[in-house]
Amino acid sequence: MMLLLIRKRASIRSRAYLVRSSLVSPKMSAWQRLYDNKHDGSFMSTMGLDVRTFELLLSHMRCHVVRRTVGRHPLLDEAAILGLVLHFLNSTMLHKTLCEIFGTPPSTTRENLAQGMKILLQTLRELPSAAVAWPTDMVTLEKYADLIHGRQRSLRPLGYNAIGFMDGLNLPVQNDYKDCLMQNANWNGWLQQSMCSNLLVWSPEGKIIMCRLNGPGSWHDGHMAENVYAALVSLPESYCLVTDTAFKAAKEFKSKILKPLKADALNNVNDERFTAQQMILHSLVLSIRQTAEWGNAALLAMCGRLRLPLHVNPARRAELLEICVLLFNFRTTECEVNQILNTYRDDYSSAFNTSNFYTTPQYDRVSQFYNKVM
């Protein structure tokens, strides 16, 4: 009998986990010190929002918080829950690190994180500044085209009014060992990894104006853009998007999608079919499409959680992706921290015409991607 008890005890694995007695009180936590100090740089570094934007988002979130009327007083208030969610989205840190920052045990941290994610998604869906809105009125279309024309003045004389930039974004996904069909759909043969495909359309103001998220990783960018193709057809003549060579160039989309020439076409540049105008257009498009890469990199920089393999559950994955897209638009509108926005807006463009700007070229990280028109 004693031998059986010894064997049973030996078969039970020892568990290592955080307990509340090992953590500081939430009122004395690192988060509370950060929040009380209210330093813009610290907020931006850890959560991606400055103090004013954080408080604005918090005021909207409070409308969706259901407060307890019975039971224990919650360890984290509304501000701490929002801070917890933003710390989670902005970084790749483990849950135990979040426990140490906020002074809450793992079970409380996970509960508040799940609750905060749902409340944040509800809040962002109601905010106009976070909306993903495709331009349909001529005023917005002309504004976008003017912003791009201000940086690339050679494009409009060729008969094109670009209003945005489109590119795909593949994100890693956890392997699904239980559903072989889902695993096969998510497997990307080019990247040799389980991925989910996403399509993002960026405006010259730095916001996402159309997207398609959480597609199977085996899908090509051209297939993900079916809804964009339908929207492009309804645009007035000469208005178009700048893309890479992955997207279709069917006859009906030839004037709606600007993309550079492929490598095999460039090998035949001496062919009579390639005019000087086509080569100029190729050079311009090759320069402009870099903007979409900035947008994708900015999204990953703000939402570092997307760099980790996403959850195998498609519903949870879709929720996270939607939050990241809406939160990025909200930050761009309220904080105006966006490389695309800073590049295309008027006050930045006018800086290129000042003598002081040209006397310090070492501080310029943008003009190298553009053809200056003298």
Side-chain angles (χ1 to χ4, degrees):
M1 185 66 180
M2 183 61 68
L3 181 61
L4 291 176
L5 290 176
I6 294 176
R7 288 182 176 179
K8 184 177 180 181
R9 182 176 180 82
S11 65
I12 300 177
R13 296 180 180 179
S14 60
R15 297 181 59 189
Y17 53 89
L18 277 174
V19 294
R20 186 173 178 181
S21 59
S22 300
L23 301 168
V24 298
S25 169
K27 295 182 180 180
M28 302 174 60
S29 62
W31 154 254
Q32 196 61 48
R33 177 64 180 270
L34 175 71
Y35 183 67
D36 292 340
N37 194 32
K38 286 186 168 51
H39 181 258
D40 278 332
S42 300
F43 268 60
M44 188 67 71
S45 175
T46 56
M47 295 179 288
L49 303 178
D50 57 26
V51 177
R52 183 195 65 84
T53 309
F54 180 88
E55 295 293 346
L56 177 62
L57 183 58
L58 178 61
S59 64
H60 290 291
M61 277 190 62
R62 285 197 170 104
C63 301
H64 299 278
V65 175
V66 179
R67 295 174 176 82
R68 294 181 182 177
T69 57
V70 295
R72 293 182 179 180
H73 190 274
L75 291 178
L76 299 181
D77 56 11
E78 292 91 345
I81 292 176
L82 177 58
L84 174 64
V85 173
L86 294 179
H87 272 79
F88 173 79
L89 295 175
N90 195 252
S91 68
T92 58
M93 69 179 68
L94 300 175
H95 278 75
K96 62 182 179 182
T97 308
L98 292 172
C99 296
E100 294 173 341
I101 293 174
F102 289 84
T104 53
S107 58
T108 304
T109 302
R110 292 182 182 277
E111 178 184 354
N112 285 319
L113 182 59
Q115 176 190 7
M117 292 282 283
K118 294 184 181 300
I119 295 175
L120 180 59
L121 180 57
Q122 294 175 0
T123 303
L124 291 173
R125 283 174 175 173
E126 297 177 357
L127 294 178
S129 56
V132 177
W134 177 257
T136 55
D137 58 292
M138 286 302 300
V139 175
T140 306
L141 291 173
E142 291 176 359
K143 179 177 68 172
Y144 289 170
D146 290 341
L147 288 174
I148 297 178
H149 175 66
R151 296 292 294 144
Q152 285 287 10
R153 299 186 180 277
S154 302
L155 187 61
R156 184 170 286 176
L158 297 177
Y160 296 97
N161 282 302
I163 62 168
F165 327 93
M166 178 168 61
D167 198 10
L169 178 63
N170 292 313
L171 299 173
V173 176
Q174 296 173 355
N175 291 318
D176 192 347
Y177 298 105
K178 296 182 179 180
D179 190 342
C180 59
L181 295 179
M182 183 62 68
Q183 173 69 11
N184 182 65
N186 289 335
W187 182 257
N188 188 303
W190 181 52
L191 298 174
Q192 293 293 301
Q193 189 177 357
S194 293
M195 311 289 288
C196 72
S197 298
N198 305 276
L199 184 84
L200 304 172
V201 181
W202 303 88
S203 77
E205 291 184 334
K207 297 182 66 174
I208 300 172
I209 56 177
M210 182 172 283
C211 63
R212 188 175 180 183
L213 306 174
N214 201 26
S218 58
W219 283 19
H220 190 268
D221 289 346
H223 295 293
M224 291 290 295
E226 293 297 334
N227 57 333
V228 181
Y229 296 147
L232 284 173
V233 173
S234 62
L235 290 180
E237 189 176 355
S238 81
Y239 287 94
C240 58
L241 291 177
V242 180
T243 71
D244 57 18
T245 58
F247 299 92
K248 68 170 65 175
K251 188 174 182 180
E252 62 270 25
F253 302 114
K254 192 173 183 180
S255 62
K256 298 297 183 182
I257 292 181
L258 286 181
K259 61 180 185 177
L261 298 174
K262 292 187 176 181
D264 56 347
L266 290 175
N267 293 331
N268 300 319
V269 292
N270 295 325
D271 196 308
E272 297 179 354
R273 294 175 296 174
F274 296 97
T275 63
Q277 182 175 346
Q278 286 178 307
M279 294 307 300
I280 294 174
L281 183 61
H282 164 75
S283 178
L284 290 173
V285 172
L286 198 63
S287 172
I288 298 173
R289 72 156 301 274
Q290 179 70 26
T291 306
E293 303 292 345
W294 297 343
N296 291 350
L299 179 63
L300 293 177
M302 178 187 173
C303 302
R305 187 61 50 176
L306 298 180
R307 297 182 182 275
L308 297 178
L310 304 182
H311 201 278
V312 70
N313 187 337
R316 291 183 59 178
R317 195 164 64 233
E319 180 184 81
L320 174 63
L321 290 169
E322 185 179 358
I323 290 175
C324 291
V325 168
L326 296 179
L327 185 62
F328 184 88
N329 277 357
F330 177 76
R331 171 181 132 151
T332 300
T333 303
E334 299 297 338
C335 296
E336 297 187 349
V337 179
N338 188 294
Q339 186 176 5
I340 300 176
L341 173 65
N342 294 336
T343 301
Y344 284 96
R345 63 183 180 182
D346 296 336
D347 55 348
Y348 185 89
S349 300
S350 62
F352 275 85
N353 299 322
T354 62
S355 57
N356 292 335
F357 193 89
Y358 276 115
T359 57
T360 56
Q362 66 272 21
Y363 296 113
D364 179 23
R365 299 292 185 268
V366 176
S367 62
Q368 59 179 311
F369 298 107
Y370 287 86
N371 300 317
K372 293 188 179 68
V373 180
M374 307 302 291

